[in-house]
């Protein structure tokens, strides 16, 4: 997606496959474009719409006009926007992020109803799925990890040592919640396993009796060439280990991922999303 100013015109462009979300809104003579609706609502804009794949919108003193690039045969919206990237108070691809993540959490419980004492999210990206898991299972939801909101995202750090330090700076266990409990730990995804290994150790050091990790995405096995910095397959732990082997590697009592078919049931139009990072079936030819 691109938003630019040229010769006193505002130009808004979304790619023909629609990989990334893009919205345009208007209020009191002001036009704004943003990736997520929460940004427009911050400006009290409620009159907005999704920019269509391949659409080019030009806004200038003469008004607004829309033209189209040749559209792709089908949409390839990034499912990870709903799993992880977007803010939960947004709508992206005309889906509620919060509602979709809750459905993912409920689907996790339906796939493997493990017994536990408390559902603990990995904040903040696991919060909404954990709520859905707790509601579906009847297991109490509680915060067993507290987050330092001044620390950045850890999975994009370049080295393992930097990622480990970033995790310890960002998250810390709440002993009163986890001590002596069977923990259902809910997170959005598992990339390298570095973060999860540290978190499981933190929780067990804080007295957790068991830690069962549940991921609201399928196993990541292929790199993304459309906006996520995962350059090689070798970095993805699910390429070399089964869920059982991952559990042993990170010290968890069990690990379960949301199956792709169950993930597809959590969105309205299942055929309009890109699932290439799970299956390697890319919508555009790439050099693997």
């Amino acid at each position: 997606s691109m938003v630019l100013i040229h010769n006193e015109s505002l130009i808004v462009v979304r790619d023909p496959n629609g990989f990334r979300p893009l919205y345009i809104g208007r209020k009191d003579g002001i036009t704004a474009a943003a990736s997520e609706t929460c940004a427009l609502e911050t400006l009290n804009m409620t009159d907005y719409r999704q920019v269509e794949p391949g659409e080019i919108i030009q806004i200038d003193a003469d008004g607004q006009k829309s033209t189209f690039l040749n559209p792709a045969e089908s949409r390839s919206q990034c499912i990870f926007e709903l799993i992880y990237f977007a803010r939960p108070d947004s709508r992206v691809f005309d889906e509620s992020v919060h509602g979709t993540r809750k459905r993912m959490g409920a689907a996790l419980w339906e796939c493997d109803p493990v017994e536990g004492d408390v559902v603990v999210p990995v904040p903040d990206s696991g919060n909404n799925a954990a709520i859905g898991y707790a509601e579906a299972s009847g297991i109490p939801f509680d915060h067993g990890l507290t987050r330092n909101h001044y620390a950045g995202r850890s999975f994009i750090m370049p080295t393992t040592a930097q990622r480990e330090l970033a995790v310890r700076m960002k998250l810390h266990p709440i002993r009163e919640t986890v001590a002596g409990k069977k923990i259902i730990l809910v997170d959005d995804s598992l990339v390298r396993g570095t973060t999860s290994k540290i978190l499981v150790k933190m929780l067990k050091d804080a007295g957790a009796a068991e830690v069962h990790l549940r991921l609201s995405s399928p196993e990541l096995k292929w790199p993304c060439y459309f906006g996520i910095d995962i350059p090689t397959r070798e970095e993805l732990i699910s390429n070399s280990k089964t869920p059982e082997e991952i559990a042993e590697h990170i010290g968890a009592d069990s690990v379960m991922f949301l199956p792709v078919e169950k993930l597809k049931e959590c969105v309205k139009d299942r055929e309009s999303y890109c699932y290439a990072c799970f299956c390697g079936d890319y919508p555009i030819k790439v050099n693997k």
Side-chain angles (χ1 to χ4, degrees):
S1 298
M2 294 188 294
V3 180
L4 56 140
I5 291 175
H6 178 67
N7 290 342
E8 298 186 356
S9 293
L10 177 68
I11 301 170
V12 179
V13 185
R14 188 174 175 204
D15 80 274
N17 286 77
F19 284 111
R20 300 292 152 196
L22 187 60
Y23 282 79
I24 188 166
R26 189 170 180 81
K27 182 180 176 65
D28 299 332
I30 297 173
T31 300
S35 296
E36 300 182 32
T37 59
C38 64
L40 301 179
E41 289 170 352
T42 298
L43 300 175
N44 289 321
M45 288 186 176
T46 55
D47 180 18
Y48 54 74
R49 70 169 178 88
Q50 185 170 215
V51 178
E52 295 301 317
E55 187 175 10
I56 304 172
I57 302 171
Q58 181 174 343
I59 303 103
D60 54 30
D62 297 325
Q64 179 174 312
K65 63 181 179 180
S66 175
T67 56
F68 282 84
L69 300 166
N70 292 329
E73 292 183 4
S74 60
R75 297 191 183 207
S76 306
Q77 299 167 159
C78 176
I79 192 66
F80 244 86
E81 293 283 351
L82 289 169
I83 293 172
Y84 174 66
F85 286 124
R87 252 173 52 170
D89 53 333
S90 278
R91 293 184 66 82
V92 297
F93 310 129
D94 287 340
E95 299 256 16
S96 163
V97 177
H98 173 68
T100 304
R101 289 179 185 169
K102 282 182 65 177
R103 288 193 292 274
M104 293 173 186
L108 273 172
W109 161 254
E110 294 165 3
C111 290
D112 183 24
V114 66
E115 292 184 7
D117 297 316
V118 62
V119 177
V120 170
V122 176
D124 290 324
S125 56
N127 288 352
N128 306 94
I131 292 169
Y133 192 103
E135 288 181 355
S137 66
I139 300 171
F141 171 98
D142 203 351
H143 290 285
L145 292 165
T146 188
R147 181 185 168 193
N148 171 7
H149 286 266
Y150 300 99
R153 286 175 171 170
S154 57
F155 91 100
I156 57 176
M157 294 292 183
T159 69
T160 299
Q162 285 175 302
R163 288 192 291 271
E164 288 181 0
L165 178 59
V167 173
R168 294 183 185 280
M169 289 176 65
K170 184 169 68 173
L171 297 167
H172 194 265
I174 300 173
R175 292 180 182 273
E176 291 82 357
T177 300
V178 304
K181 304 285 182 62
K182 295 180 180 179
I183 307 298
I184 310 297
L185 183 65
V186 180
D187 202 358
D188 61 277
S189 58
L190 192 67
V191 182
R192 302 174 180 90
T194 304
T195 299
S196 298
K197 186 172 185 177
I198 297 168
L199 293 182
V200 170
K201 185 177 187 304
M202 278 185 182
L203 291 170
K204 291 202 170 183
D205 287 348
E210 297 178 11
V211 178
H212 299 271
L213 180 61
R214 296 295 178 266
L215 292 312
S216 59
S217 79
E219 296 168 89
L220 281 167
K221 294 190 173 185
W222 295 85
C224 175
Y225 298 93
F226 315 115
I228 306 175
D229 185 18
I230 304 174
T232 65
R233 293 194 70 194
E234 287 71 26
E235 289 187 67
L236 303 172
I237 192 171
S238 290
N239 272 320
S240 59
K241 299 183 186 298
T242 65
E244 292 75 21
E245 290 170 336
I246 291 172
E248 182 178 359
H249 175 73
I250 68 174
D253 292 272
S254 70
V255 171
M256 197 207 79
F257 296 84
L258 185 65
V260 175
E261 284 305 310
K262 292 295 288 186
L263 173 64
K264 291 179 178 181
E265 293 175 8
C266 296
V267 294
K268 294 176 191 171
D269 185 3
R270 57 191 289 162
E271 301 306 323
S272 67
Y273 288 92
C274 175
Y275 305 97
C277 54
F278 310 131
C279 61
D281 184 14
Y282 294 101
I284 295 175
K285 183 177 173 57
V286 298
N287 294 321
K288 302 178 186 179

